[in-house]
Amino acid sequence: MKVLMIGAGRDVRGGVSSVVNGYYEAGLDRMCELTYLPTMEDGSRLKKLFVAVKARLRFERLIRENDILHVHMSSDNSFYRKAVFIRRAYREKKKIIIHMHGSTFDLFYRERCSERQKKQVRDIFSKADRVIALSEDWKAFLAEYVCEAEKIEVIYNAVKLPQRYEKDYHNRRMLFLGILGKRKGTYDLIEALPELLGKYPDAHMYFGGDGELEKAQRLCREKGIADRVTFLGWVRGAEKDRLLRDCSVYVLPSYHEGMPMSVLEAMSYGMAVVSTYTGGIPHLVTDGADGLLCKAGDVKRLGEILDRILEDAGLRKELGINACQKIKEGFDVKSALAKVMDIYSRLAAGDHH
């Protein structure tokens, strides 16, 4: 099978590159003839334009050489960029898979699209032979608004398990990874921190991410907690691995999510996760068993949960061990790859739905 996969560049910050890199690490390119074409890279507008034009030119040759087009798609600009490639592949009579990552795709469709644009979205999805959703909730949304349920399959995001190590659950180091801003609940977390940091003198908060960095730093200074909070910028590689090993609590109080890679990674490292009932997170974290959840935007409850978890090292250890076990059993990248390869095989054999 010859597969052409398109999406954000593999060095771009975000979930799509994490998923794609995980597939490569687990050997997808050895299971089929896989070509990856980046359609967007981080950088200036000029660089992004250059990458887009280059991708469009390369695509003309590559689409004729491949059997299946696997599109990693999000909302807004990502949708409109990928629509061009999908239409072209459809004219070439290629098999098409849309892999939907957009954590705010529902808002994009319902609130930011005109009726004409909604029709365009439905038209693009009608051209796909398969649509991959990251959770049952996203499948339900797509089936209600965008395309027929028969072509949608759920494949959770997944991660490669880290090498075994002994985690220190007695520390009170907390970690947040992602784009700083309202959508990820950054300001709710900062609102909850002063009381917690006052109660636990050894507690420290680490933010790994870019976005609204200056605003987040300013809020921490205003609340008098700047010396207890470290902003690291975007982290990856060895530095990210060290943080996931050294911190005991992972916090992501998001308002909108698909199936966040950062939560999967934190659980695979045996961290105690505090998050929200948002997107695919409740399918990943079972409240009270392998993490603690609250409603997005409930700062008071978020503070209470963090207080409970910071107070009790035994609870941190119990949740962390259970979280790691859950990843081993259901979110290992090898099982996700098996499902992807099954879709490829069925499409190659002529299966339409």
Side-chain angles (χ1 to χ4, degrees):
M1 287 175 290
K2 291 186 175 182
V3 179
L4 175 59
M5 185 179 285
I6 67 172
R10 292 178 60 192
D11 289 327
V12 169
R13 300 162 179 180
V16 171
S17 59
S18 296
V19 170
V20 172
N21 289 331
Y23 284 176
Y24 268 92
E25 283 179 35
L28 182 59
D29 56 328
R30 296 189 294 275
M31 299 176 190
C32 62
E33 280 194 58
L34 179 65
T35 303
Y36 191 76
L37 178 63
T39 58
M40 192 275 285
E41 298 280 2
D42 285 332
S44 66
R45 291 179 67 181
L46 187 62
K47 180 185 177 183
K48 288 180 177 179
L49 178 62
F50 174 76
V51 170
V53 171
K54 183 181 175 184
R56 189 73 185 86
L57 294 172
R58 284 191 65 203
F59 185 81
E60 284 301 316
R61 174 177 58 83
L62 290 170
I63 195 59
R64 290 192 290 270
E65 297 173 356
N66 287 273
D67 309 309
I68 296 170
L69 176 67
H70 186 156
V71 181
H72 293 281
M73 181 188 284
S74 186
S75 50
D76 298 289
N77 288 339
S78 174
F79 168 78
Y80 294 113
R81 277 197 307 272
K82 306 300 170 35
V84 175
F85 296 99
I86 290 169
R87 287 194 189 97
R88 184 74 186 88
Y90 187 75
R91 289 199 299 271
E92 288 285 333
K93 296 183 169 52
K94 303 297 182 178
K95 300 295 185 182
I96 299 168
I97 300 166
I98 295 177
H99 199 143
M100 177 47 61
H101 294 267
S103 58
T104 61
F105 193 84
D106 53 344
L107 299 179
F108 162 67
Y109 181 84
R110 288 195 292 231
E111 298 177 11
R112 299 196 289 273
C113 284
S114 65
E115 288 306 314
R116 183 182 61 80
Q117 288 169 321
K118 287 177 182 177
K119 186 173 183 296
Q120 182 182 357
V121 171
R122 294 193 298 271
D123 176 64
I124 289 298
F125 274 80
S126 74
K127 291 173 168 45
D129 297 279
R130 280 292 181 283
V131 174
I132 296 174
L134 300 187
S135 70
E136 283 80 3
D137 287 355
W138 279 107
K139 177 178 178 176
F141 167 79
L142 292 169
E144 182 175 355
Y145 290 98
V146 178
C147 62
E148 57 265 52
E150 296 75 37
K151 67 165 67 171
I152 307 171
E153 301 196 24
V154 175
I155 301 180
Y156 294 139
N157 282 344
V159 289
K160 182 182 177 183
L161 293 164
Q163 292 182 328
R164 286 180 61 85
Y165 73 102
E166 289 297 318
K167 180 173 282 293
D168 171 20
Y169 287 101
H170 293 286
N171 78 75
R172 292 190 173 100
R173 291 187 286 269
M174 297 174 283
L175 177 64
F176 168 104
L177 296 173
I179 297 172
L180 304 175
K182 180 175 172 57
R183 181 175 76 81
K184 292 282 187 180
T186 306
Y187 306 126
D188 292 345
L189 177 53
I190 291 173
E191 188 73 27
L193 283 176
E195 189 174 339
L196 295 163
L197 296 176
K199 183 174 180 180
Y200 303 101
D202 61 333
H204 196 92
M205 184 74 225
Y206 293 90
F207 285 95
D210 55 11
E212 298 174 4
L213 181 59
E214 290 182 7
K215 181 179 177 181
Q217 289 174 320
R218 186 181 73 250
L219 283 172
C220 288
R221 288 194 298 270
E222 290 172 358
K223 293 181 179 299
I225 58 172
D227 60 330
R228 306 283 301 282
V229 177
T230 302
F231 290 92
L232 299 158
W234 197 269
V235 295
R236 62 180 73 191
E239 185 182 12
K240 183 174 164 184
D241 177 71
R242 179 183 61 76
L243 287 163
L244 289 164
R245 288 173 184 270
D246 290 351
C247 298
S248 63
V249 179
Y250 185 76
V251 196
L252 188 76
S254 280
Y255 285 76
H256 300 281
E257 285 293 350
M259 179 66 74
M261 290 296 293
S262 66
V263 172
L264 285 158
E265 289 169 338
M267 292 175 74
S268 75
Y269 278 79
M271 296 182 75
V273 171
V274 174
S275 195
T276 54
Y277 291 101
T278 301
I281 293 171
H283 298 288
L284 177 57
V285 179
T286 302
D287 183 44
D290 42 47
L292 297 175
L293 300 176
C294 64
K295 185 180 176 183
D298 190 342
V299 178
K300 183 173 182 290
R301 183 64 183 143
L302 175 64
E304 291 170 352
I305 288 174
L306 285 170
D307 184 14
R308 180 182 164 200
I309 213 164
L310 289 173
E311 186 177 42
D312 190 344
L315 177 62
R316 294 196 291 276
K317 183 174 183 178
E318 179 187 347
L319 295 175
I321 289 173
N322 290 346
C324 186
Q325 187 61 34
K326 177 177 271 190
I327 297 299
K328 285 180 184 176
E329 291 173 0
F331 297 90
D332 181 15
V333 70
K334 291 178 182 175
S335 61
L337 274 198
K339 293 175 182 176
V340 171
M341 283 302 301
D342 180 55
I343 293 175
Y344 289 173
S345 298
R346 281 183 279 134
L347 289 181
D351 182 15
H352 290 283
H353 287 314

